[in-house]
Amino acid sequence: MNLWEYIADRRDLLLFETAQHASMVAQCVLVAAVIGVAVGVVTYRRPRGAALATGTAGVLFTVPSLAMLGLLIPVLGLGVAPSVTAIVLYALLPIIRNTVVGLQGVDPMLVDAARGIGMSRLRALTRIELPLAWPVILTGIRVSTQLAMGIGAVAAYVSGPGLGEQIFSGLARLGGANAVNSTLTGTLGVALLALAFDACFVLLGRLTRPGGRRA
Amino acid sequence: MPETAAGGGGVPIELRAVTKRFPGAAAPAVNELDLTIAAGEIVVLLGPSGCGKTTTMRMINRLDEPTSGDILIGGRSARDIDPDRLRRNIGYVIQQAGLFPHLTVAANIAQVPRLLKWDSGRIARRVEELLTLVGLDPATFAQRYPRALSGGQQQRVGVARALAADPPVMLMDEPFGALDPITRERLQDELLRLQEELAKTIVFVTHDVDEALKIGDRIAIMERGARIVQYARPAEILTAPAGEYVEQYLGGGSSMRLLRLTKVGDIRLDSVPHATAGADARALLAQAEDEGRDFALVVDEAGRPRRWVSAADLAAARGPVGELGEETGPPIGHRMTLQDALEALLNADSDVVPVVGRGQAYAGVLSLSTVQNAIQAIKARERERRRRRLSGLTGDSGDGGSGDGGPGDSGSGPGGGA
C-alpha cells in the first residue's frame, strides 16, 4: 500500500484527526493569548515583574516537551487535560515576551499625549497602547501557534487528540505494515496544518495593521 | 456633561506656592512658585532645559501632581477636579504633535469629543470646522494617517486636537521646537491669528527667546527650580531686563529684537506735504517750503501715494501738479514690523518711504532716522516706567537698576520727527 492509498483508505479518520489537531491548537493558543497578554499588560510597567514573568515562562520553555507531558501524567492523567496544559504553557512564553516588548516599545510621548487629553489609564491602554503593540503581540501569537503545532503532535504520547496519534502509532510499529505511511501522514498533516495557520496569521496581520493599509 | 463656555474665552490660572519634588532628587524641580496668569493671555515659560518649566506646566493639568501648594484654574482648585475630566477641559499640545499613528487625522481630533460623549454628527462637524480653522482642507486631510503629513501639518492637527472641545485653557510644550524655521514662523503666526479669535489662556513652554518674545503676552523667565527671575511683557524684558541672568539669556541684539516686536503703526511717523495730481503746483510748493521740505508727495483720489515731486519741479510748473516727479516705489504697510520696514528702507531708492494704512492710503513717511528715534524713545520710555516703579516699590531687585544708567546708546538725540 503506498502513501496515497493509505490516505485514501483512512480519509475520514485522518480528516477527523486533522480537525481535532487544528481545534486543539487553536483553542490552546487562544487561552495562551488571553493569559499571556494579560500577564504582559500587568507586568510591562514593572521591570521586575516583567522579568519574573518572562523568566518563569522561559524556564518552562526549556523543559523538553516529552518530559513535561510525562510529568503531567501523575497530576492530570492521560488524554486532553495534560496535552492542553502542556501546549498552553509552552505557548505562553512568546506571547508574554512579545506583549511586554510591544507595550514597552510604544512611544512614551504618545501615552503622555493620551493621558494629557484626558484618557483614563485603561482607555489609553486599550485605545492607544495595545493597538500600537498589536503587530508585535501578533507575531508572538504566531510563533506560539507554530510551537503548539509541534507539541500538539507529541501530545499523542499521553493519548492526546490529533495527528500525533498517526506519528506515534507508526513509530511504535516501525517495520510493520503501513508504519512509515502512518508516520509520514501524521508529519505531513501537521506541517500542512502549520502552513495553513501561518497563512491565516499573515492575513490577520494585514487586516489588523494599525493605521490601515498604505493610504 | 459640563460643556465649556461656547465661543471660547479663557479663564485665569493661579499657582500658589507650588512645589514639586521628584522622589530621589536632591533639589525640588519647582520650588514655592507663585504665578498668576490672566484670562485670555499667552504666557510663555522661558528657561533653559531642566529649569522646571515643563514640570510647572504639567502640574496645571495634573500630569505631575504638586508636592505642595495649590493651582486654581478659573478659581477652582485643580485638586478638586478628577484628573481625567480636568484634562478634557485643558488643551494639550506637545512637541512633534504626539498624534496617534494608528488613527486617521479625523479620529485623532475626535478623541476628546468622544471622551465627552458627543454624538457622531456633532463630532464630524467639529472635526471639519477645526481642520478648516488650522488651515487644512478637510476633504484632503481628514482621512489621512499622521505619517502621510509633514511635521508642520502634524502640528496643525495637534493644535486642532487640543482645541476640539473648545477648552478655556491650552498648554503647549515646545510645540514648534522640532520644526524647520520657516514652518515654525508660519505656525507661530497662525497661533497668534487663532488666539486673536479664540482668546484662550495659553501656557506656552519654550527655551527659544525669539519665540517667547514673539508669542508671549507675558514672559516668565525661569532659572533652576522654576524660580521666576522676571515676569513681564516682552518689550519690558527687552528694554529693562531684570539683572544679568535675563540679559545673558536674551543674549545680544535686544535692539534688533525690539525692531521685530514693534509695528510701524505703533511709532510716531514723519509727515510730508502731499496733494492729489489735480492740486495746484504752486500751493503744494508753498506748503513744502512751510514745512522745510524740498519735496512733496502726490497721492491719488483714494489717498494712495503715487509720485515724489521735487521743489524745483514744482517751482517750474504752472497749474495742477499733474504727472510731475517719479514713482514712489512700494510703500511700507503700517502693520509691518520695524525690522521689515528697515529692510524696505535700506532697499528703497529714496531716503524717505511713504507709509500706508487702511486701504493703502497715505499715513505718513518713514526714514532711517525715524526708526532710530522710535527705538530710542521706546527704550527711554521703558527705563522711565521702570525707574518710577522701582522708586515706588523699593528693594526687591535693586540690582536690576544697573541697567538704567549704563548703555552707551542712551544719548537719545532730539528727534527730527518730534
Side-chain angles (χ1 to χ4, degrees):
Chain A
M1 202 182 247
N2 66 21
L3 180 64
W4 186 243
E5 286 164 347
Y6 178 86
I7 293 172
D9 202 37
R10 288 164 177 73
R11 227 186 58 189
D12 288 345
L13 175 69
L14 289 174
L15 277 178
F16 172 70
E17 284 179 344
T18 306
Q20 240 186 351
H21 202 98
S23 144
M24 173 175 67
V25 167
Q27 292 181 50
C28 290
V29 170
L30 196 66
V31 172
V34 170
I35 299 174
V37 170
V39 170
V41 163
V42 171
T43 59
Y44 82 103
R45 278 175 182 277
R46 308 178 183 98
R48 226 177 290 167
L52 186 72
T54 41
T56 312
V59 168
L60 286 174
F61 203 66
T62 57
V63 178
S65 49
L66 265 177
M68 168 82 84
L69 288 164
L71 287 170
L72 286 172
I73 294 173
V75 189
L76 297 169
L78 292 175
V80 174
S83 315
V84 167
T85 309
I87 296 173
V88 169
L89 286 178
Y90 280 106
L92 277 180
L93 177 68
I95 298 176
I96 294 179
R97 199 181 43 201
N98 279 37
T99 304
V100 169
V101 168
L103 288 173
Q104 284 176 345
V106 174
D107 191 338
M109 178 191 75
L110 293 176
V111 184
D112 190 67
R115 302 285 284 143
I117 64 171
M119 287 194 193
S120 62
R121 264 250 38 100
L122 183 67
R123 196 177 171 100
L125 182 75
T126 54
R127 297 300 170 92
I128 307 300
E129 293 175 86
L130 279 175
L132 288 174
W134 178 243
V136 183
I137 297 174
L138 190 67
T139 304
I141 296 175
R142 190 173 162 188
V143 171
S144 287
T145 307
Q146 300 304 315
L147 261 168
M149 279 292 167
I151 293 163
V154 180
Y157 174 69
V158 290
S159 312
L163 286 165
E165 152 64 16
Q166 290 291 325
I167 302 171
F168 274 88
S169 71
L171 288 175
R173 293 178 286 118
L174 216 54
N178 285 327
V180 174
N181 280 341
S182 171
T183 308
L184 212 53
T185 306
T187 312
L188 282 175
V190 171
L192 287 175
L193 208 52
L195 285 175
F197 267 63
D198 216 41
C200 291
F201 273 107
V202 172
L203 197 66
L204 190 63
R206 290 247 175 95
L207 291 175
T208 59
R209 178 158 54 206
R213 269 123 294 155
R214 298 280 143 192
Chain B
M1 281 295 109
E3 218 171 281
T4 48
V11 296
I13 302 172
E14 200 181 339
L15 284 77
R16 288 185 183 163
V18 172
T19 297
K20 175 67 183 181
R21 214 175 270 280
F22 285 107
V30 176
N31 194 11
E32 295 279 316
L33 176 68
D34 292 300
L35 179 65
T36 304
I37 296 165
E41 282 204 340
I42 302 182
V43 166
V44 178
L45 307 182
L46 176 68
S49 37
C51 74
K53 56 191 193 297
T54 296
T55 305
T56 302
M57 196 196 79
R58 288 169 62 91
M59 283 191 288
I60 295 172
N61 67 357
R62 293 182 64 183
L63 279 173
D64 285 327
E65 294 284 356
T67 313
S68 67
D70 204 4
I71 296 175
L72 304 179
I73 299 170
R76 270 187 81 188
S77 171
R79 277 179 201 283
D80 299 340
I81 309 169
D82 170 69
D84 291 334
R85 287 188 49 193
L86 174 75
R87 291 181 199 133
R88 287 168 204 170
N89 278 313
I90 297 180
Y92 187 50
V93 185
I94 57 179
Q95 197 172 4
Q96 295 175 324
L99 299 183
F100 306 128
H102 60 303
L103 301 177
T104 61
V105 164
N108 263 286
I109 297 173
Q111 285 304 311
V112 178
R114 275 189 200 158
L115 288 167
L116 295 172
K117 304 205 163 53
W118 290 11
D119 66 67
S120 58
R122 182 169 171 212
I123 293 178
R125 282 193 302 278
R126 182 66 179 153
V127 166
E128 204 172 308
E129 186 186 353
L130 282 163
L131 279 173
T132 313
L133 187 71
V134 297
L136 295 174
D137 174 31
T140 315
F141 289 98
Q143 294 312 315
R144 288 204 186 161
Y145 284 92
R147 65 163 173 271
L149 270 55
S150 71
Q153 289 167 342
Q154 287 188 21
Q155 196 52 278
R156 282 166 197 264
V157 178
V159 172
R161 181 174 68 182
L163 285 170
D166 201 15
V169 175
M170 296 253 285
L171 305 180
M172 308 184 82
D173 189 0
E174 305 208 19
F176 310 139
L179 302 174
D180 65 85
I182 294 172
T183 311
R184 192 185 312 152
E185 286 266 329
R186 195 175 304 149
L187 282 177
Q188 288 165 349
D189 291 337
E190 294 213 16
L191 177 66
L192 292 174
R193 176 182 62 81
L194 278 179
Q195 174 66 356
E196 214 144 279
E197 274 176 55
L198 303 173
K200 305 287 183 196
T201 306
I202 298 179
V203 181
F204 190 107
V205 165
T206 185
H207 59 250
D208 179 345
V209 180
D210 290 303
E211 183 166 73
L213 291 169
K214 176 170 178 182
I215 291 283
D217 291 315
R218 272 171 215 280
I219 301 172
I221 300 183
M222 294 181 157
E223 59 179 18
R224 232 160 224 300
R227 199 180 80 80
I228 294 179
V229 185
Q230 188 171 18
Y231 183 41
R233 298 194 174 275
E236 186 182 344
I237 283 178
L238 282 176
T239 50
E244 225 167 275
Y245 180 82
V246 177
E247 265 174 64
Q248 230 173 35
Y249 205 91
L250 291 174
S254 70
S255 294
M256 284 307 289
R257 293 201 167 103
L258 210 51
L259 289 176
R260 239 174 301 171
L261 276 175
T262 313
K263 298 269 191 291
V264 171
D266 297 338
I267 67 170
R268 184 197 296 271
L269 299 171
D270 283 345
S271 68
V272 291
H274 57 283
T276 59
D280 183 62
R282 288 302 172 97
L284 188 55
L285 178 62
Q287 196 183 338
E289 279 167 350
D290 275 356
E291 293 179 27
R293 297 278 194 186
D294 57 359
F295 59 89
L297 183 66
V298 181
V299 298
D300 66 11
E301 292 71 26
R304 290 177 292 218
R306 279 291 171 259
R307 318 173 71 81
W308 291 121
V309 286
S310 66
D313 281 344
L314 288 174
R318 296 265 177 282
V321 177
E323 292 295 289
L324 288 173
E326 43 191 278
E327 302 264 340
T328 57
I332 291 171
H334 74 307
R335 291 195 63 82
M336 267 188 183
T337 63
L338 279 191
Q339 179 178 319
D340 292 339
L342 206 52
E343 169 103 22
L345 274 171
L346 292 172
N347 288 332
D349 295 328
S350 50
D351 295 340
V352 177
V353 175
V355 174
V356 293
R358 206 163 293 243
Q360 299 294 301
Y362 167 86
V365 293
L366 206 58
S367 67
L368 286 175
S369 65
T370 331
V371 175
Q372 197 180 10
N373 290 334
I375 289 288
Q376 277 161 2
I378 293 170
K379 284 188 164 176
R381 206 161 57 231
E382 291 293 341
R383 267 198 300 274
E384 183 51 39
R385 192 181 299 169
R386 186 170 166 72
R387 192 172 298 140
R388 227 179 296 142
R389 212 178 30 198
L390 277 178
S391 60
L393 277 169
T394 64
D396 200 8
S397 59
D399 59 323
S402 68
D404 277 13
D409 60 345
S410 64
S412 51

